[in-house]
């Protein structure tokens, strides 16, 4: 703006401006303390801004005059300079109050009950209780909360069942255009008068309070890394779900919209001032937000944490481009670096947990045999665990880059199973880790089977557990694809071999009783049957059958189809052999005394007895149907 040519006119302009400034001096006027200029009519606000411009012009002129005539500066000129400085200070104090008031006015409370939608079916969505537990919090800055509600509705309408999201940055106008123009006009005058620091501090203080209010509504608590690490894992799980949901809103809505507001107000004022205000506002909240994920990434590792760590990793990976876009300035390097480092630590934590899980399976120490040779809890746990791992296949394929550390058949180490990679050519490192987990599990189970005193039960135990492994692999398309049909066939062959070994251990001795050898008297095949030997043979068979029936009825095969298949296999060997033996020798027993003491069971009785096997319930031999 050009300097006025008429000094008298300039003096008149300054005096008029001074009157306006002094009239709104809140330290000298009750009316000025009670009213805000920008809440009155626009004309009054424009007059005040013009008065400030006039005072600033007078201050500039006085500085030029004093500099040009420094040697001859009069006392009057010094007084004028002091007077102008005093007036500008009064004006800046007033503008600071107006600046703060406009910011606070447009952070006023709105209805936020609909901020959270508890009806969302996504597993990543917190419960109604979790979302509403902080209703007692102040409703400050509901303009933020209103835009949060819009983002949450958008997130919850997604069909995705994982934490990955297709949504991205959605800047929202946090204030009406008129308020932005007023803030911009005030900021320009404060900064040109040397009040940049005060302007930034006021802006940052008010907007940071608004973000804090939104954080509380989103359930983001002010917890230190130590506080987070001291929480029980069960409590942390719900907080992780809530954090993932909240982090998307914070980065893509809160921080992005705060950046836009800073640009609207400060971009035309001077280089990097808008960024300075943005960082003054969001740096603390951003560090608070990411400290939670950092605490999880460096916490003590354990198997149950893997999937929530992967959820955090996926969410942060999904957010990283948006974080880089929102925090794109040099002054926000620390935020970008923190996010990238957390992502790296989460990836390392996931790799470490899987490796430690493999070792934990190998060393699992329980020695007490499970009753009835049923499925061991370790087997269920491990297979359910790796089925869940396969659900994160896409992420883990990118994270798992190295093969597992395994034994070798040539190493001679009896404490570690062997696995030859040549047989598994072309499989991803993740697939090799999953196969290795199954190998280690089987190795552990083989050790546990040795604690059974009955060899038949040991074989049944292996059969049950390996069959369960096969069924879990077949039941998960992702897991089956990674394990591969070749290895699945190998597992299937193993449980079938265990079933064969069980039958040999149990039934070879029973069926041995039904042989002809040892029953005939030398010299006459047709009539030379030793009745005493035959009676003894029936007694032995009955005793052995009753013992097998008594014990193996209490054994358990949980899988209905496998149980039925094994019963059929037993019947196919036992029933024809018994029927043939009865056909050949029944008459020799029935022609003697008390035949019922030797031929105690009919073929039908045996068929019924086999149906009692592997149900897990005790029975007595009287439960077997007697011959009539």
């Amino acid at each position: 703006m050009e300097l006025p040519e008429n000094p008298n006119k300039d003096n008149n302009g300054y005096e008029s401006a001074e009157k306006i400034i002094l009239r709104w001096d809140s330290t000298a006027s009750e009316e000025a303390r009670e009213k805000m200029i920008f809440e009155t009519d626009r004309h009054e606000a424009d007059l005040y801004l013009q008065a400030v411009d006039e005072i600033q012009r007078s201050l500039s002129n006085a500085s030029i005059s004093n500099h040009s005539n420094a040697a001859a500066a009069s006392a009057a000129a010094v007084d004028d300079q002091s007077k102008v400085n005093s007036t500008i200070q009064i004006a800046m104090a007033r503008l600071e109050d107006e600046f703060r008031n406009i910011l606070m006015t447009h952070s006023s409370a709105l209805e936020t009950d609909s901020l959270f939608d508890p009806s969302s079916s996504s597993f990543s969505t917190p419960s109604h209780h979790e979302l509403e537990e902080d209703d007692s919090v102040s409703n400050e800055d509901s303009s933020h909360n209103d835009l949060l509600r819009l983002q949450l509705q958008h997130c919850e309408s997604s069909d995705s069942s994982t934490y990955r999201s297709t949504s991205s940055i959605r800047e929202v106008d946090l204030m009406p255009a008129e308020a932005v123009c007023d803030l911009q006009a005030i900021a320009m005058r404060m900064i040109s008068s040397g009040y940049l620091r005060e302007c930034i501090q006021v802006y940052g203080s008010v907007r940071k309070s608004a973000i804090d209010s939104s954080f509380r509504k989103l359930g983001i608590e002010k917890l230190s890394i130590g506080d987070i690490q001291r929480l029980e894992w069960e409590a942390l799980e719900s907080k992780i779900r809530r954090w993932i949901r909240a982090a998307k809103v914070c980065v893509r809505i809160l921080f992005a919209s705060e950046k836009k507001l800073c640009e609207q107000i400060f971009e035309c004022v001077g280089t990097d001032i808008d960024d300075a205000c943005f960082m003054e506002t969001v740096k603390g909240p951003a560090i608070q937000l990411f400290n939670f994920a950092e605490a999880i990434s460096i916490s003590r590792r354990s198997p149950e944490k893997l999937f929530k760590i992967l959820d955090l990793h996926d969410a942060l990976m999904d957010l990283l481009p948006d974080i880089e876009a929102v925090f794109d300035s040099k002054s926000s390097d620390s935020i970008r670096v923190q996010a990238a480092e957390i992502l790296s630590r989460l990836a390392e934590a996931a790799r470490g947990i899987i490796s430690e899980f493999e070792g934990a399976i190998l060393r699992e120490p329980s020695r007490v045999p499970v009753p009835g040779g049923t499925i061991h809890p370790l087997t269920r746990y491990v297979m359910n665990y790796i089925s869940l791992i396969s659900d994160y296949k896409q992420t883990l394929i990118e994270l798992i880059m190295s093969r597992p550390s395994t034994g070798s058949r040539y190493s001679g180490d009896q404490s570690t199973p062997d696995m030859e990679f040549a047989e598994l050519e072309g499989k991803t490192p993740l697939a090799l880790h999953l196969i290795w987990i199954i190998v280690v599990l089987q190795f552990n189970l083989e050790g546990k089977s040795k604690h059974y005193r009955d060899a038949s039960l040991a074989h049944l135990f292996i059969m049950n557990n390996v069959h369960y492994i096969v069924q879990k692999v077949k039941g998960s398309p992702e897991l089956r694809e990674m394990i591969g049909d070749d290895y699945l066939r190998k597992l299937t062959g193993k449980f079938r071999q265990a079933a064969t070994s069980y039958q040999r251990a149990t039934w070879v001795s029973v069926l041995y009783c039904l042989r002809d050898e040892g029953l005939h008297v030398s010299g006459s095949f047709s009539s030379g049957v030793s009745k005493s030997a035959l009676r003894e043979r029936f007694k032995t068979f009955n005793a052995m059958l009753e013992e097998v029936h008594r014990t193996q009825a209490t054994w358990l095969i949980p899988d209905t189809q496998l149980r039925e298949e094994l019963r059929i296999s037993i019947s196919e060997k036992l029933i024809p052999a018994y029927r043939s033996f009865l056909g050949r020798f029944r008459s020799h027993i029935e022609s003697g005394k008390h035949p019922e003491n030797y031929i105690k069971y009919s073929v039908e009785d045996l068929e019924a007895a086999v149906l009692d096997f592997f149900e897990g319930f005790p029975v007595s031999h009287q439960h077997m149907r007697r011959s009539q």
Side-chain angles (χ1 to χ4, degrees):
M1 182 178 292
E2 296 183 1
L3 296 175
E5 297 177 2
N6 187 339
N8 291 329
K9 182 179 179 183
D10 189 45
N11 288 335
N12 291 337
Y14 170 78
E15 290 172 0
S16 298
E18 183 184 35
K19 287 179 181 178
I20 294 173
I21 299 300
L22 295 177
R23 178 156 57 86
W24 288 101
D25 181 3
S26 57
T27 64
S29 166
E30 183 69 29
E31 182 181 3
R33 278 194 294 273
E34 293 178 353
K35 290 184 179 180
M36 302 305 293
I37 301 171
F38 284 79
E39 288 182 352
T40 60
D41 59 81
R42 290 301 314 170
H43 178 66
E44 190 67 31
D46 290 341
L47 283 177
Y48 194 86
L49 292 174
Q50 291 169 15
V52 172
D53 292 341
E54 182 63 35
I55 298 299
Q56 288 178 329
R57 190 161 50 247
S58 298
L59 181 63
S60 177
N61 289 344
S63 298
I64 293 171
S65 175
N66 288 341
H67 178 73
S68 302
N69 305 288
S74 65
V78 173
D79 289 343
D80 286 346
Q81 177 76 46
S82 177
K83 186 177 181 181
V84 172
N85 285 336
S86 175
T87 305
I88 203 71
Q89 288 175 7
I90 293 169
M92 290 303 107
R94 183 73 207 195
L95 285 181
E96 183 178 324
D97 290 341
E98 296 288 337
F99 193 72
R100 180 184 292 105
N101 184 66
I102 294 170
L103 286 170
M104 294 181 69
T105 297
H106 294 285
S107 295
S108 59
L110 296 175
E111 180 57 51
T112 60
D113 287 345
S114 57
L115 177 60
F116 302 114
D117 179 10
S119 64
S120 173
S121 61
S122 172
F123 74 89
S124 62
T125 304
S127 68
H128 179 83
H129 171 71
E130 290 169 340
L131 296 174
E132 298 297 336
E133 67 187 36
D134 206 16
D135 278 350
S136 60
V137 175
S138 164
N139 285 332
E140 181 183 359
D141 192 40
S142 288
S143 58
H144 261 279
N145 295 330
D146 195 49
L147 65 94
L148 294 180
R149 176 182 57 79
L150 295 174
Q151 173 66 359
L152 287 172
Q153 288 174 346
H154 172 80
C155 291
E156 290 164 353
S157 66
S158 171
D159 291 331
S160 173
S161 62
T162 72
Y163 288 115
R164 295 193 181 276
S165 169
T166 56
S167 62
S168 191
I169 292 173
R170 296 177 59 209
E171 294 172 344
V172 177
D173 290 325
L174 298 179
M175 293 191 179
E178 184 179 7
V180 171
C181 288
D182 288 342
L183 291 168
Q184 185 183 76
I186 294 172
M188 289 177 65
R189 287 159 177 85
M190 289 183 70
I191 293 168
S192 65
S193 296
Y195 284 77
L196 171 62
R197 184 173 58 85
E198 289 82 355
C199 185
I200 291 177
Q201 285 177 346
V202 170
Y203 182 89
S205 174
V206 175
R207 293 310 304 166
K208 196 183 296 181
S209 176
I211 293 177
D212 287 344
S213 175
S214 296
F215 267 30
R216 289 193 295 271
K217 283 291 181 181
L218 286 168
I220 300 172
E221 303 170 80
K222 286 189 176 181
L223 298 172
S224 70
I225 289 178
D227 291 336
I228 294 165
Q229 291 184 329
R230 281 189 290 272
L231 289 172
E232 293 294 328
W233 181 247
E234 290 74 13
L236 271 178
E237 283 187 298
S238 64
K239 291 184 185 296
I240 289 171
R241 286 194 297 270
R242 192 186 313 170
W243 184 91
I244 289 170
R245 195 161 169 261
K248 293 179 181 180
V249 178
C250 289
V251 172
R252 292 172 172 159
I253 295 292
L254 282 180
F255 297 157
S257 298
E258 284 292 345
K259 183 178 182 181
K260 178 183 178 182
L261 182 61
C262 287
E263 290 171 350
Q264 289 174 326
I265 296 171
F266 297 104
E267 193 170 32
C268 62
V269 176
T271 307
D272 295 335
I273 293 176
D274 58 324
D275 187 60
C277 282
F278 174 61
M279 289 308 294
E280 175 74 16
T281 302
V282 306
K283 186 173 182 179
I287 290 172
Q288 179 189 342
L289 177 71
F290 292 124
N291 272 353
F292 178 87
E294 182 168 354
I296 302 299
S297 73
I298 60 177
S299 63
R300 185 181 61 82
R301 296 172 184 173
S302 58
E304 72 272 12
K305 294 182 180 180
L306 175 63
F307 305 109
K308 282 292 174 281
I309 283 175
L310 290 174
D311 289 339
L312 271 177
H313 177 277
D314 284 359
L316 198 54
M317 176 67 81
D318 194 34
L319 278 173
L320 199 59
D322 299 320
I323 292 170
E324 291 173 347
V326 173
F327 298 96
D328 60 347
S329 67
K330 185 173 179 59
S331 63
S332 57
D333 275 349
S334 60
I335 303 299
R336 296 196 305 275
V337 168
Q338 184 186 18
E341 287 180 347
I342 292 169
L343 192 65
S344 177
R345 282 195 291 268
L346 287 169
E348 184 55 39
R351 287 189 287 267
I353 287 173
I354 289 176
S355 178
E356 291 170 14
F357 181 65
E358 293 164 356
I361 299 167
L362 185 62
R363 296 185 300 271
E364 200 279 329
S366 63
R367 295 177 176 273
V368 178
V370 291
T374 188
I375 300 163
H376 198 282
L378 178 67
T379 307
R380 293 186 187 276
Y381 178 73
V382 170
M383 293 311 300
N384 287 331
Y385 194 85
I386 67 171
S387 293
L388 285 172
I389 286 179
S390 70
D391 291 341
Y392 290 83
K393 168 186 166 186
Q394 201 57 48
T395 298
L396 286 170
I397 280 178
E398 297 170 6
L399 298 186
I400 306 297
M401 304 302 294
S402 61
R403 293 175 170 183
S405 300
T406 68
S408 168
R409 67 183 63 168
Y410 308 111
S411 67
D413 183 0
Q414 300 300 310
S415 64
T416 306
D418 60 3
M419 187 172 96
E420 297 303 323
F421 292 115
E423 301 171 1
L424 301 165
E425 195 66 37
K427 295 206 174 293
T428 65
L430 174 61
L432 293 175
H433 275 272
L434 296 179
I435 292 171
W436 174 241
I437 288 172
I438 293 174
V439 169
V440 170
L441 173 61
Q442 291 181 86
F443 183 79
N444 188 302
L445 292 171
E446 290 286 354
K448 294 185 188 309
S449 72
K450 293 178 173 59
H451 297 297
Y452 288 103
R453 296 179 180 178
D454 189 324
S456 299
L457 186 53
H459 294 310
L460 192 82
F461 171 76
I462 293 298
M463 181 198 71
N464 270 329
N465 282 269
V466 178
H467 178 267
Y468 182 83
I469 293 170
V470 169
Q471 294 306 108
K472 291 297 287 188
V473 172
K474 286 182 176 179
S476 169
E478 295 282 2
L479 186 56
R480 181 169 187 168
E481 179 187 351
M482 286 188 284
I483 296 296
D485 286 341
D486 286 345
Y487 190 71
L488 190 60
R489 280 191 288 273
K490 186 175 180 180
L491 286 172
T492 301
K494 183 159 187 174
F495 88 74
R496 293 198 183 283
Q497 179 58 47
T500 300
S501 297
Y502 151 79
Q503 291 187 73
R504 286 175 180 164
T506 296
W507 295 103
V508 165
S509 58
V510 175
L511 293 174
Y512 193 69
C513 296
L514 303 180
R515 74 193 189 286
D516 287 1
E517 290 80 4
L519 297 180
H520 298 284
V521 177
S522 298
S524 177
F525 182 80
S526 60
S527 60
V529 174
S530 171
K531 290 189 177 181
S532 62
L534 184 59
R535 292 191 191 100
E536 192 61 33
R537 187 71 62 79
F538 268 105
K539 285 174 66 177
T540 302
F541 172 80
N542 293 336
M544 294 182 72
L545 180 65
E546 288 167 3
E547 178 60 20
V548 170
H549 179 256
R550 183 186 65 80
T551 57
Q552 298 195 13
T554 64
W555 296 359
L556 181 62
I557 300 178
D559 186 85
T560 305
Q561 183 176 342
L562 180 62
R563 184 169 65 240
E564 186 60 28
E565 286 177 359
L566 189 57
R567 285 171 175 170
I568 290 171
S569 181
I570 292 168
S571 294
E572 286 174 346
K573 296 176 179 64
L574 176 63
I575 301 306
Y578 187 66
R579 181 183 289 112
S580 175
F581 191 79
L582 276 182
R584 294 194 303 277
F585 299 110
R586 178 192 292 269
S587 60
H588 297 285
I589 297 296
E590 289 181 340
S591 64
K593 297 179 180 179
H594 307 294
E596 69 278 4
N597 291 338
Y598 306 104
I599 305 178
K600 295 174 66 175
Y601 305 109
S602 67
V603 170
E604 291 75 17
D605 290 335
L606 264 61
E607 290 173 339
V610 170
L611 298 179
D612 292 332
F613 289 178
F614 318 126
E615 289 287 348
F617 302 109
V619 293
S620 66
H621 69 274
Q622 282 82 12
H623 187 260
M624 298 172 63
R625 290 191 299 172
R626 300 296 299 274
S627 303
Q628 300 299 319

